[in-house]
């Protein structure tokens, strides 16, 4: 029994040291149930923890009061980041102190839209149900990103080139935003894309080249709940979709919102003659299909648009 007090004291010291270790590595109000996970969800945070362990691979900051999230150094093991259900209006993945600075990585100089990413190994980024008005800044510094969840925000514009570096991206969720138009080449570089959800936005038309690039990639595209205007500008798209359907390829579902006579009808249920355009008071309709043979010359009559004229070939 002589050794009992010594063993008891050793046990007490071990417990105390374990408690000190936990408090020094796990931020207040957060929990660390397992080594790679830092769970700060639903803890009333108004700012993100500044000091993160290097071993953190999963960081959950969802259901808090965060206006923004910024870190001052790269966390190269961080793979999954959850920021949903906050009030973030603008998100930057740029390291604050190195913004605009050129750095040398290995054998190449890297400049990710003028910043170094604080999550260069990120694979999942979830920022749904916030107040974002544009895509997060510095996404091109996270080239391993596979899932980008931005649904239920206020994003209205997607700028060409914003996603071109995300060649590993498999899922892009943009449903329930305010997107009204898409650049024809917006998604052409996303060669691994399998799911693209654009449902419940403000889209009224879709360029045939957008359809072509996404069809070639083979993505599952979701477009329901938009404000599709089924007029003559949709003829080329309808033909391409009908051709794909005849070849057994999956056809997209575009349900017309206007004009009222076509409201509720699927674009593929219509014929070209159903897709009409408004006529000017003293002129022809603003769209005309033209067949052009290789080597031939054509003269197009263009529709007036304000003080200029607009000619479009699709």
């Amino acid at each position: 029994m002589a050794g009992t007090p010594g063993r008891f004291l050793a046990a007490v010291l071990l417990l105390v040291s374990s408690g000190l270790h936990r408090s020094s590595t796990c931020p207040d109000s957060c929990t660390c149930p397992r080594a790679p996970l830092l769970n700060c969800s639903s803890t009333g945070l108004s700012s993100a923890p500044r000091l993160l362990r290097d071993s953190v691979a999963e960081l959950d900051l969802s259901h808090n009061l965060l206006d923004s999230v910024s870190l001052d150094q790269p966390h190269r093991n961080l793979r999954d980041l959850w920021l949903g259900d906050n009030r973030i209006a603008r998100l930057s993945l740029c390291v604050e102190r190195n913004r605009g600075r050129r750095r040398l990585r290995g054998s190449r100089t890297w400049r990710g839209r003028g910043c170094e990413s604080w999550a260069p190994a990120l694979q999942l980024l979830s920022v749904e149900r916030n107040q974002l008005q544009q895509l997060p800044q510095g996404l091109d510094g996270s080239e391993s990103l596979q899932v980008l969840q931005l649904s239920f925000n206020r994003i209205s514009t997607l700028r060409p080139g914003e996603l071109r570096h995300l060649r590993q991206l498999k899922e892009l969720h943009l449903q329930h935003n305010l997107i009204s138009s898409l650049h024809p080449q917006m998604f052409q570089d996303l060669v691994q894309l399998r799911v693209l959800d654009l449902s419940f936005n403000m889209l009224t038309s879709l360029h045939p080249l957008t359809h072509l690039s996404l069809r070639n990639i083979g993505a599952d595209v979701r477009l329901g709940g938009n404000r599709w205007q089924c007029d003559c500008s949709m003829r080329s798209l309808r033909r391409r979709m009908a051709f794909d359907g005849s070849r057994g390829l999956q056809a997209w579902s575009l349900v017309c919102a206007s004009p009222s006579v076509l409201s509720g009808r699927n674009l593929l249920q219509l014929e070209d003659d159903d897709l009409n355009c408004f006529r000017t008071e003293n002129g022809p309709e603003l769209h005309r299909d033209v067949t052009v043979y290789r080597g031939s010359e054509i003269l197009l009559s263009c529709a007036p648009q304000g003080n200029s004229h607009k000619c479009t070939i699709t």
Side-chain angles (χ1 to χ4, degrees):
M1 299 297 291
T4 301
R7 287 197 297 270
F8 177 76
L9 179 60
V12 170
L13 290 174
L14 179 61
L15 289 173
V16 170
S17 65
S18 297
L20 290 174
H21 177 71
R22 175 179 174 82
S23 63
S24 63
T25 59
C26 196
D28 293 341
S29 76
C30 301
T31 59
C32 306
R34 48 190 172 85
L37 172 63
L38 177 56
N39 184 2
C40 303
S41 177
S42 304
T43 55
L45 289 178
S46 58
S47 61
R50 280 296 193 180
L51 299 177
L52 300 181
R53 296 169 297 170
D54 291 337
S55 60
V56 171
E58 305 168 44
L59 177 58
D60 190 346
L61 297 173
S62 62
H63 299 275
N64 279 296
L65 305 173
L66 301 176
D67 293 318
S68 63
V69 176
S70 59
L71 300 176
D72 56 7
Q73 66 181 21
H75 293 273
R76 305 190 188 284
N77 291 317
L78 185 59
R79 297 193 310 269
D80 299 338
L81 176 60
W82 291 276
L83 299 172
D85 291 277
N86 279 282
R87 50 192 186 191
I88 300 171
R90 179 181 178 275
L91 177 62
S92 173
L93 300 180
C94 300
V95 174
E96 284 189 335
R97 64 182 181 184
N98 292 326
R99 192 168 296 174
R101 173 180 169 186
R102 298 181 69 88
R103 293 176 63 89
L104 189 65
R105 281 193 179 181
S107 60
R108 68 186 180 96
T109 300
W110 180 80
R111 188 178 182 87
R113 199 179 290 272
C115 73
E116 180 183 12
S117 174
W118 49 258
L122 203 60
Q123 296 181 13
L124 179 149
L125 176 58
S126 177
V127 203
E128 77 276 12
R129 292 183 174 85
N130 276 274
Q131 301 174 25
L132 289 178
Q133 299 182 27
Q134 60 185 25
L135 296 184
Q137 182 187 9
L139 279 175
D140 46 2
S142 301
E143 296 183 356
S144 300
L145 195 64
Q146 297 182 20
V147 178
L148 182 55
Q149 168 61 275
L150 301 173
S151 60
F152 293 91
N153 276 283
R154 301 175 182 177
I155 300 171
S156 59
T157 303
L158 301 178
R159 292 185 290 270
E162 284 187 298
L163 301 171
R164 67 179 182 276
H165 294 285
L166 304 183
R167 294 183 177 273
Q168 301 300 316
L169 193 66
K170 293 181 171 60
E171 297 184 22
L172 177 55
H173 297 270
L174 289 164
Q175 64 269 33
H176 293 276
N177 275 282
L178 303 174
I179 301 168
S180 59
S181 64
L182 296 171
H183 190 277
Q185 299 174 326
M186 186 70 210
F187 308 109
Q188 68 176 10
D189 296 318
L190 306 183
V191 294
Q192 300 293 329
L193 194 64
R194 293 297 171 264
V195 176
L196 173 61
D197 197 335
L198 289 164
S199 56
F200 297 96
N201 274 276
M202 308 287 285
L203 294 169
T204 59
S205 63
L206 197 67
H207 198 285
L209 290 181
T210 304
H211 171 264
L212 181 63
S213 63
L214 289 169
R215 187 204 66 181
N216 290 343
I217 292 172
D220 174 14
V221 181
R222 302 164 188 177
L223 298 169
N226 280 280
R227 301 182 178 183
W228 302 112
Q229 183 174 325
C230 293
D231 59 17
C232 54
S233 66
M234 299 285 268
R235 289 175 184 169
S236 179
L237 177 63
R238 190 205 68 81
R239 291 172 191 164
R240 292 172 184 266
M241 291 172 56
F243 176 72
D244 286 346
S246 68
R247 296 170 58 199
L249 299 178
Q250 182 178 3
W252 300 354
S253 177
L254 271 73
V255 177
C256 303
S258 63
S260 57
V261 68
L262 299 178
S263 179
R265 297 184 61 180
N266 193 300
L267 180 63
L268 282 177
Q269 297 174 345
L270 305 177
E271 301 294 336
D272 277 4
D273 291 344
D274 297 317
L275 301 173
N276 299 309
C277 279
F278 297 104
R279 297 173 177 270
T280 60
E281 184 175 350
N282 298 311
E285 66 178 19
L286 302 181
H287 177 95
R288 180 178 300 172
D289 289 327
V290 179
T291 301
V292 182
Y293 298 96
R294 184 181 298 275
S296 62
E297 295 183 1
I298 59 172
L299 179 65
L300 296 178
S301 59
C302 303
Q305 196 173 65
N307 296 324
S308 63
H309 289 72
K310 179 181 179 181
C311 304
T312 303
I313 300 178
T314 60

